[in-house]
Amino acid sequence: MSYSADYLIQKRKDKWNELHDIDYDKQFRAAVAKEIISSPELLSEIKRYPEKLVELVFIVVDKNQQTMPFFLNDVQHDFIDTLNKAIEDFKDGLITEISLLVLKGRQQGFTTLITAYQLACSILNKNFQGYTLADKSDNSEAIFQNKAKFPYGQLPDSLKPTEKFNNRKQFLFEKLNSSWAVDTATKDVGRSRTVNFFHGSECAFWKDGISPIQGALGEAFTKNCIKIYESTANGYNDYQKMWDS
């Protein structure tokens, strides 16, 4: 019998609500990993919708510093719905690029979600090239260490690809030829890269603004690149102009 991702996600939620036991959840995640590996239908579903892999096997540290399953909140679900519609519209030729602008409130979990989504893409797909830019170097390292490296370390071993690099700012999975990296937003960043998923974090706070960095990265973006610019408000700047337009 093959289970759908939605069915297994609901089972994980039910067990978590019943037990609140992270050790039991670890056992559940290991069982789900076996199901993913053995079921072509389930694997195909989560490749199409990487957010479902997040809710199936990812963990997150909450505001109370407690480790718990990564279940999307309402704001995150709304964002994913918007992203999925944009992807479908691009495939259908209704839009010419996938570019989303997010003016966010604090503590809504956008960076956490987008980081997990990119990580899911990098372990599910060949030739995926994800890239995140943050406003400051300590923020870029915090994104990688806290929102990517720790959750990745908690994944079932059977879902972890063969690693070539796993350092402070980059995952590179050799056999998949997929990678995800973080860096600090400067006007010369990203040259000579190929990028098919770009995340600009807190881009209203980028020291050099957005335009010079877009110029530097312009050749790096593939035609189907998903571009997400998110930030809290920070007065009048490139981000504010993008939002107004």
Side-chain angles (χ1 to χ4, degrees):
M1 179 179 179
S2 180
Y3 299 101
S4 71
D6 290 341
Y7 173 83
L8 293 172
I9 290 167
Q10 189 58 54
K11 292 293 288 186
R12 188 186 186 194
K13 288 180 178 179
D14 291 343
K15 281 298 182 182
W16 179 255
N17 291 334
E18 177 188 349
L19 302 174
H20 280 81
D21 185 337
I22 198 64
D23 291 326
Y24 177 87
D25 185 73
K26 184 177 181 179
Q27 297 174 30
F28 184 90
R29 287 183 279 123
V32 168
K34 291 180 180 179
E35 184 68 21
I36 290 171
I37 292 168
S38 64
S39 171
E41 294 85 1
L42 180 58
L43 180 59
S44 177
E45 183 181 0
I46 61 176
K47 280 187 174 183
R48 184 177 181 184
Y49 300 109
E51 69 275 7
K52 295 188 178 185
L53 181 66
V54 174
E55 292 202 280
L56 281 171
V57 295
F58 278 47
I59 56 92
V60 69
V61 178
D62 69 10
K63 298 174 185 177
N64 298 315
Q65 303 303 305
Q66 299 297 310
T67 303
M68 61 178 292
F70 194 150
F71 299 133
L72 274 61
N73 61 37
D74 290 342
V75 173
Q76 291 168 332
H77 270 297
D78 286 345
F79 171 77
I80 288 295
D81 288 344
T82 300
L83 174 60
N84 284 337
K85 185 177 187 307
I87 292 171
E88 291 300 319
D89 286 350
F90 178 82
K91 289 178 179 178
D92 292 339
L94 300 177
I95 56 176
T96 58
E97 65 174 332
I98 305 168
S99 185
L100 303 182
L101 198 62
V102 180
L103 180 59
K104 66 181 185 179
R106 296 192 181 278
Q107 302 300 316
Q108 291 181 318
F110 277 107
T111 299
T112 303
L113 171 62
I114 296 167
T115 299
Y117 188 97
Q118 287 197 82
L119 181 56
C121 289
S122 70
I123 66 178
L124 286 170
N125 300 289
K126 294 181 179 180
N127 304 318
F128 174 83
Q129 305 295 326
Y131 196 40
T132 290
L133 292 183
D135 55 326
K136 297 184 292 186
S137 61
D138 55 345
N139 285 345
S140 64
E141 291 188 22
I143 288 171
F144 191 81
Q145 294 294 328
N146 301 334
K147 302 182 187 301
K149 197 161 188 174
F150 175 70
Y152 175 78
Q154 304 302 308
L155 289 175
D157 288 340
S158 59
L159 293 181
K160 295 178 182 177
T162 303
E163 298 172 9
K164 184 173 183 179
F165 294 119
N166 178 349
N167 52 38
R168 292 189 308 148
K169 289 189 174 183
Q170 182 186 27
F171 285 120
L172 176 57
F173 302 121
E174 188 170 26
K175 291 183 179 180
L176 290 173
N177 188 38
S178 69
S179 71
W180 177 74
V182 300
D183 212 333
T184 307
T186 60
K187 59 185 178 181
D188 295 321
V189 75
R191 296 186 186 277
S192 76
R193 283 185 174 273
T194 299
V195 179
N196 47 41
F197 194 115
F198 174 75
H199 170 210
S201 177
E202 292 292 1
C203 48
F205 295 82
W206 288 357
K207 181 180 177 181
D208 295 316
I210 297 174
S211 298
I213 295 171
Q214 285 179 320
L217 283 171
E219 296 298 320
F221 294 148
T222 60
K223 183 178 180 181
N224 65 339
C225 180
I226 295 171
K227 299 181 285 292
I228 300 171
Y229 299 88
E230 52 87 354
S231 186
T232 47
N234 187 35
Y236 294 94
N237 47 45
D238 283 353
Y239 183 83
Q240 179 263 338
K241 292 176 183 176
M242 289 174 66
W243 182 262
D244 284 349
S245 68

